[in-house]
Amino acid sequence: MRRHFPLLWLALHRRRRMLAMLAAGMVLFEALIVVVARTVPPAQLFTGTIGKTPSAFKAFSGSTGDVSLASYPGLLGAGLVHPFWIALQLTAIGSLAAAAVAADVEAGTIELLMVRPISRARLIAERAAAVVLTVLLLNAAATAAVAAGVWLSPSLHQAVPLRGVLLAGVLGCCFTWCLLGPALAISAAGRRRAQVIGATIAFGAVGFAVNFVAMAWSPAAPLRFLSPFHYYTPGDALAHAHLPWGPVAILLGVGGAGLAAAFPLLARRDLAP
């Protein structure tokens, strides 16, 4: 691998400690969500004295509204759309996407890379592969932790099929693909690491805020289609063991468009710092 894909290996090797810590943090967090679900019934956590879950909470269940947060699928889905989960994913995507091109341009090392017989297309392809492998690792860690908890708990297993856990993990991969494509395009065109990291964080944070407002406030409901979180519904996947192919196509399409744009953006730009 080092000989055939040196840029891919180097990108992962430089951030191996960060990736290990992010994966461990993902496992521990999802395990905590599972422990909470097993210890306290979700209805007792989120149902008030009136016996009804506040409508605003549906934005945190990882669902379009069909699955309540006061349920096992809703609570486990919340763990897969929690701000902590989002922060870990954005940290990985922003760090590796920034290192794809923009960081080397900022540091002035991009010219040293291109002195070797490495094409610009190969540069972005191998660096993109490093980001893809990273998000696959994080989503696999989260999925494995949830699957282990569901398998070990009869009450959870009765409400959440293991197939649903697997499909929620697949949906998580589609969601992170949607984020990493535009991040790589910004890196291919940008000159500063901060530009890429800031844009990645803004994309995730603003997307989450827009989806929350759209679900909690009915006049803003049409805005939900602008957020990637509207198409990422792990709570529904956990409850129904079904993959929504329309939203999946949109998530994959946005990510693919961003990655496709990165190649011509890098090919036509001046690499001088």
Side-chain angles (χ1 to χ4, degrees):
M1 178 178 175
R2 297 185 183 185
R3 184 175 64 180
H4 297 292
F5 306 105
L7 298 177
L8 167 62
W9 176 85
L10 183 61
L12 295 176
H13 180 74
R14 285 177 172 176
R15 290 158 185 82
R16 63 191 184 279
R17 294 184 179 87
M18 180 194 76
L19 298 181
M21 293 179 64
L22 291 177
M26 189 71 80
V27 170
L28 291 175
F29 176 72
E30 297 302 335
L32 176 62
I33 295 295
V34 170
V35 170
V36 170
R38 292 181 60 184
T39 304
V40 184
Q44 295 183 15
L45 282 175
F46 299 105
T47 302
T49 55
I50 60 175
K52 183 179 179 182
T53 303
S55 59
F57 280 13
K58 65 184 180 180
F60 296 97
S61 65
S63 169
T64 55
D66 184 43
V67 176
S68 171
L69 185 59
S71 66
Y72 286 124
L75 182 55
L76 294 180
L80 296 173
V81 75
H82 191 278
F84 185 79
W85 183 93
I86 298 170
L88 294 182
Q89 298 283 7
L90 293 181
T91 298
I93 294 172
S95 176
L96 275 88
V101 179
D104 282 320
V105 174
E106 181 180 11
T109 56
I110 189 69
E111 295 177 343
L112 297 177
L113 275 177
M114 303 313 296
V115 166
R116 302 181 62 187
I118 297 176
S119 66
R120 297 189 181 195
R122 180 179 175 183
L123 172 67
I124 196 67
E126 290 197 31
R127 294 284 174 78
V131 188
V132 171
L133 290 177
T134 296
V135 298
L136 287 175
L137 169 67
L138 294 182
N139 282 287
T143 303
V146 175
V150 169
W151 183 67
L152 293 172
S153 173
S155 58
L156 289 179
H157 199 180
Q158 185 177 5
V160 180
L162 288 175
R163 172 180 167 83
V165 178
L166 176 61
L167 293 180
V170 172
L171 200 56
C173 292
C174 297
F175 172 76
T176 48
W177 169 263
C178 174
L179 298 181
L180 70 86
L184 287 168
I186 295 172
S187 182
R191 295 184 177 277
R192 298 290 183 270
R193 180 189 294 109
Q195 294 174 339
V196 183
I197 296 176
T200 303
I201 294 174
F203 192 24
V206 172
F208 184 84
V210 168
N211 187 58
F212 173 78
V213 172
M215 296 188 72
W217 188 39
S218 56
L223 295 177
R224 67 189 187 277
F225 298 106
L226 301 178
S227 170
F229 288 91
H230 172 67
Y231 308 99
Y232 173 53
T233 54
D236 291 343
L238 289 166
H240 307 306
H242 172 71
L243 205 60
W245 292 109
V248 165
I250 293 174
L251 292 174
L252 294 179
V254 172
L259 180 58
F263 286 91
L265 285 172
L266 181 59
R268 298 171 185 172
R269 66 165 295 176
D270 180 10
L271 293 178

